[in-house]
């Protein structure tokens, strides 16, 4: 086939994901789509995928993408007449410890939200369905009848055929040597056979995606690791319809494969591969056997399926797969380079997720926005340093095994740590800080008292830090606490048109006097919340935007895209220029007043005021704002004087009982005030009205704001869903997120975030409820009884649209 000179979109990579993107683009009506594969279709990692089609993933949105894949395979067969090998055998998930059974039961609850058919079964029932299984030691099991298996190569060829039927051209043996770009956007691709002009390029090159992206200045953090499975000799009488068996406590999955057993592993201590780059000409890669590495895990699997001790191994397979630093794949348009999309880094779930992921990226390309909340896999979640080879290599030793390890609440990664430390790190460590990692930042999550090791002991119940964090929480409510919030993203916006530019993006009016803080959201044209920030006016031409550390890259990208070409407005990331200490609690004014000659009284320094003050020997910016629901100040401290300011505050704090507090306490404090958290309680598919944040909107400000018209239309027709606050009546259960919400016995939503509220003595959860029969009015929400489902058990809860703690905001304005 002749290389075309132009295409609407060029998809690079002919595995299941690339073929899925190409097919779904044609399904959306794009006929001028070109897919380029450097070797043959499936020759990267697709060809050796295990072929599992298991739908229940760790989160709701990822489960919905996997669910679509299972629905897609029969459709492909009808469309193309080609077989995919798809068989709905069902799958069995085993738990061999009480804690794993709690985890599985929580997954069962989430499966109900997803609409999956799910059947808890006994160990004996599992053994009856899987006769080779030794059920001894199995605590519980669940059967998902909608799961199955398929042939990865056949599915990919069917996707390619469907794409061709839709008008796509697929060229094998056509390697892309570079992506062409100009003025911050894609203009095409280069190949040895010539160039193709295009404004859309989708990098679906799997293990090669990092190197290809880096040539265009795009960070795609992934690393290849050796991934093992074995295939036994034929097993007499083995049913072709044997369900997929997953036993994560044994690090293994098993399935029938042409009358044999395939046994695959997600073992701890994985083996990274090709740290210095994968050969460009590599195809259908197989790696050497490593019996020493695999033997302990094969023995674990044999304890569950004793036949494995007696039957011969016909094939020991070792092939590379790519893994990301957080075990979640990478989708979306690259920040800083318009038209450059990525769909890669699938962590050994590319086959079962490829159908849904391909559709999501195609919709994103065509519509200009993702079709659902995809923040957990959005490429903009990564920091630039995470493309570092050494970092990726070390993290990959851990991430492969985490797929089957326990998914504990608040679990922290252990490898490649200590990348980003605040100026206070060593001081906090000396005070017993137990650090967690977010976007590379080492952050104090809780503080261990003297004689207690600052180390997590995980469980689904009250973990070892629970009472210590409760004391931090109470200290902030009753006295004064100190938080290190240096990980905030800090963006300076300057220029003659800075105010006009920000006002078009912000729901609130930022045309305020210098020294005022404005809490606001940035919306998309659909009214969905793209970001949740504070904007502080510094002077006539300068503003400081503060966001969460995880959202910095995303928000920088959104802000830069929102500046008109002709505008005199400039954006600078100043995150590393300032450390942040938050002094919060009813005695915060007393503490800080002893360290400065500034008047901190309510009359002189009201809520939402920001100004520079002397503190100790330093000049700092004090912003009276809060995320904990108490009187307090965030102190933005130049990094060169940061430790001096910290030492000064801590020394003076002894007199008033200052307590160091961590992010777990911050979370429990904010949940009592029903303060929303972007990424959980508000996303780009939740509108300002649904999230209960309409109070931030300056409806009549000159020029309006992005998303205003969509909100006005929604307000006119009424809300079908809205965020509510729930409090469990029973003080013992713990809420995390994704727990089903039952209204008068009917499923109406799920918890978006939850935490134990130590002031209130019970778990508090935020969650969206939907009324399919009419508007979700305050009266409709109140006129019912509610239960929250935790690990398949329902617990009564009260509901409100107002915060359960200080609903009148009297404390923060005192």
């Amino acid at each position: 086939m002749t290389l075309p000179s132009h295409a609407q979109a060029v998809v690079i990579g002919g595995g299941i994901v690339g073929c899925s993107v190409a097919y779904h683009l044609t399904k959306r009506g794009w006929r001028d789509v070109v897919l380029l594969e450097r070797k043959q279709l499936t020759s990267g990692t697709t060809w050796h995928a295990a072929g599992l089609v298991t739908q229940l993933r760790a989160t709701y949105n990822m489960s919905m993408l996997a669910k679509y894949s299972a629905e897609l395979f029969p459709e492909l067969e009808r469309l193309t007449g080609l077989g995919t090998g798809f068989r709905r055998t069902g799958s069995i998930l085993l738990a061999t410890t009480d804690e794993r059974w709690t985890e599985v039961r929580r997954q069962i609850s989430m499966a109900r939200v997803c609409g999956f058919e799910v059947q808890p079964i006994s160990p004996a029932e599992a053994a009856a369905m899987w006769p080779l299984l030794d059920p001894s030691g199995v605590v519980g099991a669940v059967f998902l009848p909608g799961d199955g298996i398929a042939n990865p190569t056949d599915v990919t060829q069917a996707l390619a055929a469907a794409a061709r039927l839709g008008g796509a051209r697929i060229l094998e043996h056509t390697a892309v040597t570079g992506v062409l770009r100009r003025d911050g956007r894609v203009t095409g691709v280069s190949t040895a056979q010539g160039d193709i002009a295009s404004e859309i390029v989708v990098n679906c090159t799997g293990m090669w995606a990092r190197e290809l992206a880096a040539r265009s200045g795009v960070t795609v953090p992934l690393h290849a690791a050796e991934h093992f499975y074995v295939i036994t000799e034929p097993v007499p009488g083995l049913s072709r319809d044997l369900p997929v068996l997953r036993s994560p406590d044994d690090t293994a999955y098993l399935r029938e494969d042409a009358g044999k057993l395939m046994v695959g592993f997600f073992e701890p201590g994985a083996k990274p591969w090709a740290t210095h780059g994968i050969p460009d000409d590599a195809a259908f890669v197989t790696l050497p056997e490593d019996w020493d590495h695999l033997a302990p895990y094969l023995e674990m699997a044999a304890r569950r399926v004793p036949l494995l001790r007696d039957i011969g191994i016909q094939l020991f397979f070792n092939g590379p797969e790519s893994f990301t630093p957080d075990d979640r794949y990478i989708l979306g348009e690259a920040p800083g380079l318009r038209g450059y999309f990525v769909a890669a880094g699938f962590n050994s779930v590319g086959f079962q997720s490829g159908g849904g992921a391909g559709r999501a990226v195609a919709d994103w390309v065509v519509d200009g926005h993702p079709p659902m909340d995809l923040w957990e896999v959005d490429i903009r979640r990564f920091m630039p340093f995470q493309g570092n080879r050494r970092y990726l290599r070390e993290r990959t030793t851990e991430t492969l095994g985490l797929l089957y390890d326990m998914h504990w609440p608040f679990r922290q990664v252990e490898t490649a740590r200590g990348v980003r430390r605040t100026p206070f790190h060593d001081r906090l460590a000396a005070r017993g800080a137990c650090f967690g990692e977010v976007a590379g930042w080492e952050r104090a999550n809780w503080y261990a008292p003297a004689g207690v090791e600052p180390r997590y002991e995980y469980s689904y119940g009250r973990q070892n830090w629970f009472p210590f964090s409760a004391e931090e929480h109470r200290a902030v409510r009753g006295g004064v606490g100190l938080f290190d919030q240096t990980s905030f993203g800090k963006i300076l916006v300057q220029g003659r048109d800075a105010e006009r530019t920000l006002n078009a993006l912000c729901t609130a009016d930022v045309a305020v006097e210098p020294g005022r803080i404005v809490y606001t959201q940035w919306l998309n044209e659909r009214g969905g919340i793209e970001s949740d920030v504070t904007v502080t006016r510094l002077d006539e031409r300068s503003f400081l935007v503060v966001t969460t550390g995880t959202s910095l890259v995303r928000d920088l990208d959104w802000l830069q895209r929102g500046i008109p070409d002709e505008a005199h407005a400039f954006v600078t990331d100043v995150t590393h220029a300032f450390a942040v200490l938050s002094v919060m609690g009813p005695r915060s004014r007393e503490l800080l007043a002893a360290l400065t000659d500034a008047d901190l009284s309510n009359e002189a320094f009201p809520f939402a005021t920001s100004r520079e003050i002397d503190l100790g020997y330093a000049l700092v910016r004090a912003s009276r704002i809060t995320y904990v629901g108490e009187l307090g100040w965030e102190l933005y401290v130049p990094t060169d004087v940061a430790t001096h300011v910290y030492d000064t505050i801590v020394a003076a704090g002894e007199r008033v009982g200052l307590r160091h507090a961590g992010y777990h306490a911050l979370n429990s404090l904010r949940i009592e005030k029903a303060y929303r958290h972007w990424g959980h309680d508000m996303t780009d598919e939740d509108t300002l009205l649904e999230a209960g944040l309409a109070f931030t909107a300056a409806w009549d400000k000159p020029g309006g704001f992005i998303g205003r018209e969509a909100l006005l239309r929604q307000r006119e027709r009424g809300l079908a869903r809205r965020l509510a606050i729930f409090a469990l009546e029973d003080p013992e259960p713990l809420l995390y997120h994704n727990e089903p919400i039952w209204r008068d016995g009917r499923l109406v939503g799920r918890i978006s975030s939850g935490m134990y509220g130590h002031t209130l003595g019970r778990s508090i959860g935020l969650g969206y409820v939907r009324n399919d029969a009419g508007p979700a009015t305050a009266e409709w929400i109140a006129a019912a009884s509610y239960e929250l489902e935790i690990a398949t058990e329902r617990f009564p809860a009260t509901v409100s649209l107002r915060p359960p703690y200080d609903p009148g905001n009297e404390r923060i304005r005192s």
Side-chain angles (χ1 to χ4, degrees):
M1 184 182 297
T2 304
L3 191 76
S5 61
H6 180 273
Q8 275 184 287
V10 176
V11 179
I12 312 171
I16 185 168
V17 176
C19 290
S20 178
V21 170
Y23 163 63
H24 285 98
L25 283 171
T26 65
K27 195 173 182 183
R28 289 296 309 272
W30 284 31
R31 298 290 174 251
D32 187 15
V33 176
V34 174
L35 185 149
L36 303 177
E37 163 55 43
R38 63 189 182 84
K39 293 293 184 181
Q40 297 167 248
L41 297 184
T42 80
S43 64
T45 57
T46 298
W47 71 279
H48 63 72
L52 308 185
V53 186
T54 52
Q55 302 171 74
L56 187 57
R57 314 307 309 161
T59 64
Y60 173 83
N61 286 329
M62 296 304 98
S63 296
M64 299 312 289
L65 291 184
K67 178 184 180 182
Y68 173 76
S69 293
E71 298 166 349
L72 172 65
F73 298 157
E75 176 188 326
L76 288 173
E77 292 185 348
R78 290 191 296 271
L79 179 64
T80 66
L82 299 177
T84 64
F86 178 63
R87 288 183 282 125
R88 209 175 286 277
T89 62
S91 74
I92 298 172
L93 178 61
L94 301 180
T96 63
T97 67
D98 290 336
E99 288 281 29
R100 177 71 78 175
W101 182 229
T102 298
E103 177 177 294
V104 170
R105 286 187 291 119
R106 291 185 69 90
Q107 288 182 288
I108 292 171
S109 293
M110 191 182 70
R112 291 177 178 143
V113 178
C114 298
F116 296 159
E117 184 181 355
V118 55
Q119 302 170 11
I121 57 178
S122 68
E125 290 172 315
M129 298 173 71
W130 225 91
L132 299 176
L133 172 69
D134 179 357
S136 61
V138 175
V139 175
V142 60
F143 177 62
L144 291 102
D147 290 350
I149 58 176
N151 185 298
T153 298
D154 290 348
V155 168
T156 305
Q157 294 291 352
L159 281 166
R164 290 187 183 101
L165 288 174
R169 287 168 287 183
I170 297 177
L171 285 76
E172 296 180 290
H173 302 287
T174 307
V176 171
T177 56
V179 173
L180 305 173
R181 58 196 193 279
R182 185 176 57 251
D183 298 331
R185 75 162 306 118
V186 162
T187 60
V189 300
S190 293
T191 76
Q193 292 93 324
D195 295 347
I196 303 177
S198 180
E199 294 186 350
I200 298 293
V201 171
V202 190
N203 180 347
C204 303
T205 58
M207 297 184 296
W208 292 265
R210 177 190 176 278
E211 280 73 22
L212 178 63
R215 297 175 201 165
S216 302
V218 173
T219 299
V220 177
L222 55 78
H223 197 292
E226 300 183 28
H227 182 46
F228 302 92
Y229 61 75
V230 298
I231 296 179
T232 70
E233 293 177 342
V235 179
L238 190 67
S239 171
R240 187 169 178 268
D241 296 319
L242 192 72
V244 173
L245 182 69
R246 291 177 291 160
S247 184
D249 294 320
D250 299 307
T251 74
Y253 61 85
L254 300 93
R255 56 154 288 193
E256 185 272 344
D257 184 23
K260 308 158 192 174
L261 280 179
M262 174 190 286
V263 189
F265 303 88
F266 290 106
E267 76 283 3
K271 298 178 64 180
W273 179 70
T275 295
H276 298 292
I278 300 167
D280 286 340
D281 60 350
F284 299 105
V285 176
T286 59
L287 303 175
E289 298 177 356
D290 190 341
W291 287 102
D292 290 340
H293 175 81
L294 199 62
Y297 308 107
L298 190 55
E299 176 57 30
M300 290 171 66
R303 289 200 298 268
R304 195 66 48 220
V305 180
L307 174 71
L308 295 175
R309 292 197 181 99
D310 304 319
I311 197 167
I313 301 298
Q314 191 173 85
L315 173 67
F316 183 117
F317 185 83
N318 180 6
E321 299 262 5
S322 62
F323 293 83
T324 64
D326 57 7
D327 259 348
R328 302 195 300 268
Y329 43 88
I330 305 171
L331 300 183
E333 191 173 14
L337 186 55
R338 298 192 185 192
Y340 192 110
F341 286 80
V342 177
F346 278 86
N347 306 282
S348 280
V349 298
F351 176 67
Q352 52 202 291
S353 302
R359 182 181 70 167
V361 171
D363 288 345
W364 202 330
V365 168
V366 174
D367 298 328
H369 60 80
M372 58 193 291
D373 171 26
L374 292 174
W375 173 237
E376 63 191 289
V377 292
D378 194 312
I379 188 174
R380 293 171 294 176
R381 75 188 187 272
F382 288 117
M383 301 296 116
F385 85 87
Q386 290 179 290
N388 178 282
R389 289 184 188 273
R390 181 179 174 188
Y391 167 86
L392 290 169
R393 183 189 187 284
E394 292 184 12
R395 179 60 61 82
T396 300
T397 63
E398 181 180 12
T399 50
L400 183 148
L402 289 180
L403 285 169
Y404 269 19
D405 210 337
M406 289 292 295
H407 301 96
W408 299 114
F410 310 107
R411 176 158 189 169
Q412 304 297 321
V413 292
E414 298 175 358
T415 54
R417 291 289 297 270
V419 182
R420 307 172 82 184
R421 295 182 175 182
T422 78
F424 318 114
H425 181 89
D426 291 347
R427 285 166 166 77
L428 303 187
R431 289 184 173 269
C434 183
F435 293 97
E437 185 259 8
V438 172
W441 285 105
E442 295 292 325
R443 309 197 307 183
N445 280 346
W446 56 277
Y447 289 84
V452 175
E453 184 181 359
R455 179 179 58 83
Y456 278 92
E457 295 174 9
Y458 296 115
S459 76
Y460 274 93
R462 286 163 168 74
Q463 296 183 8
N464 61 316
W465 51 266
F466 188 88
F468 313 137
S469 186
E471 292 176 10
E472 298 165 22
H473 177 114
R474 296 187 187 104
V476 175
R477 286 278 184 255
V480 59
L482 180 68
F483 298 89
D484 175 9
Q485 294 192 271
T486 302
S487 61
F488 275 152
K490 311 165 196 86
I491 306 169
L492 190 62
V493 184
Q494 299 172 292
R496 289 190 305 272
D497 299 319
E499 178 189 296
R500 179 169 61 88
T501 297
L502 283 171
N503 246 349
L505 294 174
C506 295
T507 57
D509 191 349
V510 300
V512 295
E513 292 296 316
R516 296 298 295 169
I517 307 168
V518 178
Y519 172 57
T520 186
Q521 287 72 42
W522 296 345
L523 308 183
N524 53 46
E525 295 287 358
R526 307 175 307 285
I529 301 172
E530 293 286 345
S531 186
D532 179 68
V533 301
T534 61
V535 178
T536 301
R537 184 160 208 160
L538 305 179
D539 56 41
E540 288 302 315
R541 295 189 176 190
S542 302
F543 296 81
L544 179 66
V545 176
V546 177
T547 185
T548 62
T550 53
S551 300
L552 176 62
V553 171
R554 177 193 180 101
D555 290 349
L556 278 168
D557 185 59
W558 186 264
L559 180 55
Q560 289 164 335
R561 288 172 183 245
I563 299 176
D565 291 340
E566 73 282 0
H568 185 267
F570 309 96
V571 174
T572 308
D573 177 9
V574 294
T575 298
H576 302 94
F578 298 95
V580 180
L581 290 171
S582 292
V583 181
M584 297 287 159
R587 300 192 72 179
S588 58
R589 179 181 284 120
E590 178 185 354
L591 170 57
L592 293 177
L595 303 176
T596 181
D597 56 7
D599 186 351
L600 301 182
S601 67
N602 199 43
E603 295 73 25
F605 210 127
F607 182 73
T609 297
S610 176
R611 62 175 63 122
E612 290 185 330
I613 65 172
D614 290 332
L615 199 158
Y617 300 142
L619 184 67
V620 307
R621 173 165 292 280
S623 295
R624 190 175 164 193
I625 197 75
T626 182
Y627 194 52
V628 301
E630 301 291 343
L631 170 70
W633 280 263
E634 293 173 358
L635 304 177
Y636 290 78
V637 189
T639 53
D640 58 339
V641 296
T643 53
H644 162 71
V645 170
Y646 169 87
D647 292 340
T648 301
I649 292 172
V650 170
E654 293 183 10
R655 182 179 58 83
V656 293
L658 176 69
R659 181 74 180 252
H660 283 67
Y663 274 82
H664 291 334
L666 187 78
N667 198 27
S668 61
L669 289 158
R670 73 95 182 172
I671 206 82
E672 290 184 332
K673 277 291 292 177
Y675 286 149
R676 282 65 162 156
H677 180 265
W678 194 89
H680 287 92
D681 311 310
M682 44 184 163
T683 71
D684 58 3
E685 65 175 353
D686 305 313
T687 73
L688 197 73
L689 302 180
E690 293 168 341
L693 296 171
F695 67 89
T696 72
W699 298 99
D700 298 324
K701 68 177 175 178
F705 55 87
I706 295 173
R708 177 180 178 274
E709 287 71 25
L711 294 181
L712 291 174
R713 290 192 297 271
Q714 187 181 53
R715 190 169 66 177
E716 171 118 4
R717 65 177 179 265
L719 301 178
R721 63 190 290 269
R722 62 193 298 182
L723 190 73
I725 302 107
F726 298 88
L728 290 178
E729 296 179 6
D730 187 334
E732 290 305 310
L734 299 180
L735 294 172
Y736 298 117
H737 61 97
N738 280 332
E739 293 88 354
I741 301 170
W742 296 88
R743 180 186 185 274
D744 288 342
R746 186 168 176 272
L747 186 62
V748 294
R750 57 192 168 95
I751 293 296
S752 53
S753 67
M755 194 73 173
Y756 195 87
H758 298 287
T759 311
L760 304 172
R762 62 198 67 242
S763 284
I764 310 298
L766 308 183
Y768 286 88
V769 294
R770 174 179 288 279
N771 182 5
D772 291 327
T777 63
E779 294 74 22
W780 177 83
I781 289 173
S785 61
Y786 288 85
E787 295 174 304
L788 305 182
E789 183 178 328
I790 304 173
T792 70
E793 185 177 355
R794 297 187 195 179
F795 297 89
T798 59
V799 67
S800 175
L801 293 177
R802 301 190 73 201
Y805 179 79
D806 188 27
N809 291 329
E810 295 175 7
R811 296 179 68 87
I812 67 175
R813 298 181 183 276
S814 61

